[in-house]
Amino acid sequence: MKRLSVKLKLTIWITLLMLLLVALVLGFMMALSSSVVAGHTYDRMTATVRDNLSGISKKDGVLSFREDFPFAQDGIYILVYNASGALLAGQPPLSFPAETEFENGAARAVEGTGSDYYVVDFWLPFGWEDGVWVRGVTAAPDTADVLDELALIAFLLLPLAAIVGGLGAYLLARSTFKPIDRMIRTVGEISEGRDLSRRIGLPSGRDELSRLGQAFDNMFARLETSFESEKQFTSDASHELRTPVAVILAQCEDARQNAQTPEQFTEAIEVIERQTKRMSDLISQLLQMTRLEQGTQRAAFEHADLSGLVEVVCAEQPKLPHNVTIQTDIQPDIEAWFDVTLMSRLLQNLINNAAQYGRENGHIWVTLRRAEEDLLLSVRDDGIGIPTDRMDKIWQRFYQVETSRGAGSGTGLGLTMVRQIAALHGGTVTVDSREGEGSCFTLRFPAMQQAEKNSKKNLLF
């Protein structure tokens, strides 16, 4: 049995169960049929005797019978006895025991010589102390014919039940386990072809197999996202680290062969330090982006003062390139539900981007205000702006507008991370830019996140 499939085991089990059920029903019918036949015979015999009681009378001490009185009718013998038990009229069956006692109104079975009988007695009074016993006798019915018919029915019905039950069980099992076969086949194809984009694709439903298929699809989607993020991280890291590593190696080789004074060695070390810092920043941002994409780093939402955070981040900015200065317009006392670390990184990335592409002695305007249930955080500059044909590309990894005087000094990941952080907060980030006039990046997100809504809802109850 261990080697049999679940489908075959289920088919065998249902078939045997059907056979057992049919056998029990037939056994019950056989037992019931004997009782029904006996009860019918008792009723027929009792009714016959009762109907003929009125045909017996006694006048002037003489017992008389109706002219058409039936002493034998449809196998029922009607016998008349006096009070002492002497037979007055009628002829009993030859094997009927004459010593059978009288019981008024009681229909019962009596064992005779070679055969059994059913008997019923009625006392028919003609006065206070005078009367006769009227007895009905009939042979006990032979149920063998009925049992033979039921046996024939069983002989025909049991194989039919086995066939119908087995076929129905197989079709049911095949239909039930078809999604499982589909899952096994899809998982095998994914395993052989390493194609995580494949899905089982079962129709949505509430049954266990549909939910299992959806769980597998969700798992494959997460695995695909994880592997794609890993591939993306490996590809990005290997591509972007190639340049700083090459610069470091070239600088080391140049310093070893050509550097002769402390100033030359110092200059080489400064170049190596800058490239190393760039590599460190790049790896740090790549790791954080990968964690955000895979969901391994979750936003730690808390109720905090967003106005204060924006003021602190702007006030603590180091000297920006191109002598760019920051001006703020922050609506006070704006509190929201957000991740303080991620929101700080988002604002810092926007400020760095504005400074990198700003003009000499330019400005950066940071604005925060409330718009109904949403919050608007914008960073605007008066820099070089973004060409119209490149507006959609700025969100791509490592893309940098080449017309910037500072192009190449960043990692090209800042705006990509800004969009990720905005999405984690249930918001969006948009850009409005005109070439030669500057750009304005605006973050719009709800002040109250879903977690805070749920906590407040729980307080109400």
Side-chain angles (χ1 to χ4, degrees):
M1 290 291 289
K2 292 183 178 180
R3 296 184 178 182
L4 298 178
S5 66
V6 177
K7 188 188 303 182
L8 187 56
K9 289 180 181 178
L10 184 60
T11 302
I12 294 175
W13 168 251
I14 294 180
T15 302
L16 294 177
L17 189 63
M18 285 289 295
L19 289 175
L20 178 62
L21 182 61
V22 172
L24 290 176
V25 171
L26 288 174
F28 177 75
M29 289 176 61
M30 288 181 179
L32 185 62
S33 63
S34 299
S35 176
V36 170
V37 170
H40 176 70
T41 303
Y42 279 134
D43 294 341
R44 188 169 59 87
M45 178 182 63
T46 301
T48 300
V49 174
R50 283 182 180 277
D51 291 342
N52 287 287
L53 289 177
S54 60
I56 304 175
S57 61
K58 191 173 186 182
K59 187 176 181 180
D60 298 331
V62 178
L63 187 66
S64 62
F65 298 90
R66 190 176 63 239
E67 184 176 352
D68 58 346
F69 188 87
F71 287 96
Q73 179 180 348
D74 297 329
I76 299 173
Y77 298 88
I78 299 179
L79 311 175
V80 180
Y81 297 83
N82 62 17
S84 300
L87 181 63
L88 300 178
Q91 180 64 42
L94 294 178
S95 60
F96 179 76
E99 67 276 7
T100 302
E101 296 182 356
F102 294 96
E103 296 181 23
N104 188 28
R108 60 203 183 278
V110 175
E111 184 176 351
T113 304
S115 60
D116 295 333
Y117 295 92
Y118 291 164
V119 177
V120 64
D121 298 319
F122 290 102
W123 171 253
L124 181 61
F126 296 124
W128 287 103
E129 297 181 357
D130 190 15
V132 294
W133 285 103
V134 181
R135 168 171 285 178
V137 178
T138 185
D142 187 4
T143 59
D145 294 338
V146 177
L147 296 178
D148 288 342
E149 291 181 2
L150 289 176
L152 178 61
I153 293 174
F155 180 77
L156 297 175
L157 192 58
L158 284 176
L160 181 61
I163 294 173
V164 173
L167 181 60
Y170 176 77
L171 293 176
L172 177 62
R174 187 179 69 172
S175 174
T176 302
F177 287 96
K178 188 176 181 180
I180 295 182
D181 294 336
R182 186 172 176 178
M183 293 180 197
I184 296 172
R185 185 171 60 255
T186 303
V187 172
E189 292 173 354
I190 292 175
S191 178
E192 293 176 1
R194 299 181 181 274
D195 182 11
L196 290 175
S197 64
R198 293 288 303 274
R199 297 292 182 268
I200 297 174
L202 292 179
S204 59
R206 296 184 178 180
D207 60 277
E208 291 80 359
L209 293 179
S210 295
R211 297 203 305 269
L212 179 61
Q214 293 169 8
F216 269 112
D217 284 343
N218 293 335
M219 180 186 68
F220 290 143
R222 291 193 298 271
L223 287 175
E224 182 183 13
T225 301
S226 178
F227 279 109
E228 288 299 326
S229 298
E230 181 180 347
K231 287 170 57 180
Q232 184 71 41
F233 175 83
T234 304
S235 174
D236 293 342
S238 61
H239 180 270
E240 294 300 321
L241 292 177
R242 187 180 297 115
T243 299
V245 168
V247 172
I248 291 173
L249 292 175
Q251 195 66 37
C252 290
E253 183 68 20
D254 181 68
R256 186 176 59 192
Q257 293 181 359
N258 303 320
Q260 297 178 358
T261 64
E263 291 77 9
Q264 291 175 333
F265 278 106
T266 300
E267 183 181 355
I269 291 174
E270 289 176 352
V271 173
I272 293 173
E273 183 182 13
R274 286 196 303 270
Q275 296 299 323
T276 304
K277 186 176 183 302
R278 182 182 176 188
M279 290 172 59
S280 177
D281 292 341
L282 177 64
I283 293 174
S284 176
Q285 292 194 48
L286 280 174
L287 286 174
Q288 186 169 14
M289 289 178 61
T290 301
R291 294 190 188 106
L292 291 175
E293 289 175 351
Q294 294 183 347
T296 55
Q297 178 177 341
R298 299 183 181 275
F301 290 103
E302 59 181 295
H303 193 268
D305 183 3
L306 182 59
S307 298
L309 175 67
V310 175
E311 288 180 357
V312 169
V313 172
C314 294
E316 294 181 351
Q317 287 298 314
K319 185 177 180 180
L320 299 175
H322 316 311
N323 293 323
V324 174
T325 58
I326 297 180
Q327 299 181 15
T328 60
D329 180 12
I330 302 172
Q331 183 178 336
D333 301 326
I334 292 182
E335 295 184 351
W337 191 266
F338 61 96
D339 185 306
V340 175
T341 302
L342 292 179
M343 192 60 68
S344 300
R345 172 61 65 89
L346 178 145
L347 180 56
Q348 186 63 58
N349 285 355
L350 290 178
I351 293 175
N352 290 343
N353 184 76
Q356 180 181 348
Y357 292 95
R359 64 176 70 251
E360 193 74 30
N361 300 318
H363 302 84
I364 297 176
W365 293 272
V366 178
T367 304
L368 174 65
R369 68 179 186 276
R370 183 183 295 275
E372 296 181 352
E373 295 185 357
D374 292 340
L375 300 179
L376 298 179
L377 173 63
S378 62
V379 177
R380 181 171 62 89
D381 64 74
D382 54 0
I384 62 175
I386 304 171
T388 305
D389 58 345
R390 301 182 185 180
M391 293 282 282
D392 294 336
K393 298 180 181 179
I394 62 174
W395 308 107
Q396 299 176 6
R397 294 187 180 196
F398 306 111
Y399 181 80
Q400 300 185 65
V401 180
E402 298 176 357
T403 55
S404 167
R405 290 173 295 178
S409 61
T411 62
L413 296 173
L415 293 181
T416 305
M417 189 175 295
V418 165
R419 174 169 279 189
Q420 283 184 319
I421 296 173
L424 281 175
H425 286 77
T428 58
V429 59
T430 57
V431 58
D432 180 20
S433 180
R434 294 183 181 181
E435 192 172 2
E437 297 183 10
S439 304
C440 180
F441 289 85
T442 302
L443 167 68
R444 187 185 190 102
F445 72 101
M448 185 187 300
Q449 299 296 321
Q450 189 62 40
E452 187 183 23
K453 292 180 181 178
N454 292 338
S455 64
K456 289 188 175 182
K457 186 185 296 183
N458 292 335
L459 292 176
L460 294 177
F461 294 95

PDB file of all heavy atoms in Angstrom, residues 162-173:
ATOM      1  N   ALA A 162     -19.794  -1.387  -7.207  1.00  0.00           N
ATOM      2  CA  ALA A 162     -18.329  -1.360  -7.236  1.00  0.00           C
ATOM      3  C   ALA A 162     -17.827  -0.588  -8.451  1.00  0.00           C
ATOM      4  O   ALA A 162     -16.895   0.217  -8.352  1.00  0.00           O
ATOM      5  CB  ALA A 162     -17.784  -2.784  -7.241  1.00  0.00           C
ATOM      6  N   ILE A 163     -18.463  -0.830  -9.599  1.00  0.00           N
ATOM      7  CA  ILE A 163     -18.025  -0.144 -10.828  1.00  0.00           C
ATOM      8  C   ILE A 163     -18.299   1.355 -10.743  1.00  0.00           C
ATOM      9  O   ILE A 163     -17.433   2.189 -11.007  1.00  0.00           O
ATOM     10  CB  ILE A 163     -18.728  -0.764 -12.052  1.00  0.00           C
ATOM     11  CG1 ILE A 163     -18.273  -2.213 -12.245  1.00  0.00           C
ATOM     12  CG2 ILE A 163     -18.425   0.057 -13.303  1.00  0.00           C
ATOM     13  CD1 ILE A 163     -19.039  -2.957 -13.322  1.00  0.00           C
ATOM     14  N   VAL A 164     -19.559   1.680 -10.365  1.00  0.00           N
ATOM     15  CA  VAL A 164     -19.928   3.096 -10.285  1.00  0.00           C
ATOM     16  C   VAL A 164     -19.111   3.804  -9.206  1.00  0.00           C
ATOM     17  O   VAL A 164     -18.590   4.915  -9.408  1.00  0.00           O
ATOM     18  CB  VAL A 164     -21.431   3.240 -10.007  1.00  0.00           C
ATOM     19  CG1 VAL A 164     -21.799   4.694  -9.748  1.00  0.00           C
ATOM     20  CG2 VAL A 164     -22.230   2.701 -11.187  1.00  0.00           C
ATOM     21  N   GLY A 165     -18.994   3.151  -8.042  1.00  0.00           N
ATOM     22  CA  GLY A 165     -18.229   3.757  -6.955  1.00  0.00           C
ATOM     23  C   GLY A 165     -16.758   3.936  -7.306  1.00  0.00           C
ATOM     24  O   GLY A 165     -16.168   4.978  -7.051  1.00  0.00           O
ATOM     25  N   GLY A 166     -16.177   2.888  -7.894  1.00  0.00           N
ATOM     26  CA  GLY A 166     -14.766   2.983  -8.278  1.00  0.00           C
ATOM     27  C   GLY A 166     -14.529   4.038  -9.335  1.00  0.00           C
ATOM     28  O   GLY A 166     -13.581   4.829  -9.248  1.00  0.00           O
ATOM     29  N   LEU A 167     -15.397   4.056 -10.353  1.00  0.00           N
ATOM     30  CA  LEU A 167     -15.239   5.048 -11.421  1.00  0.00           C
ATOM     31  C   LEU A 167     -15.445   6.465 -10.879  1.00  0.00           C
ATOM     32  O   LEU A 167     -14.670   7.381 -11.185  1.00  0.00           O
ATOM     33  CB  LEU A 167     -16.237   4.760 -12.547  1.00  0.00           C
ATOM     34  CG  LEU A 167     -16.178   5.708 -13.760  1.00  0.00           C
ATOM     35  CD1 LEU A 167     -14.802   5.653 -14.415  1.00  0.00           C
ATOM     36  CD2 LEU A 167     -17.272   5.360 -14.762  1.00  0.00           C
ATOM     37  N   GLY A 168     -16.510   6.637 -10.069  1.00  0.00           N
ATOM     38  CA  GLY A 168     -16.753   7.953  -9.488  1.00  0.00           C
ATOM     39  C   GLY A 168     -15.621   8.386  -8.573  1.00  0.00           C
ATOM     40  O   GLY A 168     -15.206   9.553  -8.586  1.00  0.00           O
ATOM     41  N   ALA A 169     -15.108   7.423  -7.781  1.00  0.00           N
ATOM     42  CA  ALA A 169     -13.995   7.752  -6.884  1.00  0.00           C
ATOM     43  C   ALA A 169     -12.756   8.147  -7.674  1.00  0.00           C
ATOM     44  O   ALA A 169     -12.048   9.094  -7.317  1.00  0.00           O
ATOM     45  CB  ALA A 169     -13.688   6.558  -5.982  1.00  0.00           C
ATOM     46  N   TYR A 170     -12.491   7.434  -8.762  1.00  0.00           N
ATOM     47  CA  TYR A 170     -11.306   7.765  -9.573  1.00  0.00           C
ATOM     48  C   TYR A 170     -11.444   9.145 -10.211  1.00  0.00           C
ATOM     49  O   TYR A 170     -10.497   9.941 -10.198  1.00  0.00           O
ATOM     50  CB  TYR A 170     -11.109   6.698 -10.646  1.00  0.00           C
ATOM     51  CG  TYR A 170      -9.963   7.028 -11.577  1.00  0.00           C
ATOM     52  CD1 TYR A 170      -8.645   6.846 -11.172  1.00  0.00           C
ATOM     53  CD2 TYR A 170     -10.197   7.543 -12.853  1.00  0.00           C
ATOM     54  CE1 TYR A 170      -7.586   7.162 -12.014  1.00  0.00           C
ATOM     55  CE2 TYR A 170      -9.155   7.864 -13.702  1.00  0.00           C
ATOM     56  CZ  TYR A 170      -7.848   7.662 -13.276  1.00  0.00           C
ATOM     57  OH  TYR A 170      -6.807   7.985 -14.108  1.00  0.00           O
ATOM     58  N   LEU A 171     -12.640   9.397 -10.778  1.00  0.00           N
ATOM     59  CA  LEU A 171     -12.837  10.711 -11.410  1.00  0.00           C
ATOM     60  C   LEU A 171     -12.747  11.834 -10.378  1.00  0.00           C
ATOM     61  O   LEU A 171     -12.167  12.891 -10.646  1.00  0.00           O
ATOM     62  CB  LEU A 171     -14.205  10.744 -12.108  1.00  0.00           C
ATOM     63  CG  LEU A 171     -14.353   9.805 -13.318  1.00  0.00           C
ATOM     64  CD1 LEU A 171     -15.775   9.867 -13.859  1.00  0.00           C
ATOM     65  CD2 LEU A 171     -13.350  10.160 -14.411  1.00  0.00           C
ATOM     66  N   LEU A 172     -13.330  11.592  -9.196  1.00  0.00           N
ATOM     67  CA  LEU A 172     -13.255  12.587  -8.141  1.00  0.00           C
ATOM     68  C   LEU A 172     -11.822  12.805  -7.686  1.00  0.00           C
ATOM     69  O   LEU A 172     -11.374  13.938  -7.507  1.00  0.00           O
ATOM     70  CB  LEU A 172     -14.131  12.156  -6.954  1.00  0.00           C
ATOM     71  CG  LEU A 172     -14.105  13.068  -5.714  1.00  0.00           C
ATOM     72  CD1 LEU A 172     -14.632  14.448  -6.070  1.00  0.00           C
ATOM     73  CD2 LEU A 172     -14.917  12.453  -4.580  1.00  0.00           C
ATOM     74  N   ALA A 173     -11.092  11.684  -7.508  1.00  0.00           N
ATOM     75  CA  ALA A 173      -9.692  11.802  -7.079  1.00  0.00           C
ATOM     76  C   ALA A 173      -8.852  12.497  -8.140  1.00  0.00           C
ATOM     77  O   ALA A 173      -8.003  13.337  -7.825  1.00  0.00           O
ATOM     78  CB  ALA A 173      -9.130  10.417  -6.772  1.00  0.00           C
TER      79      ALA A 173
END
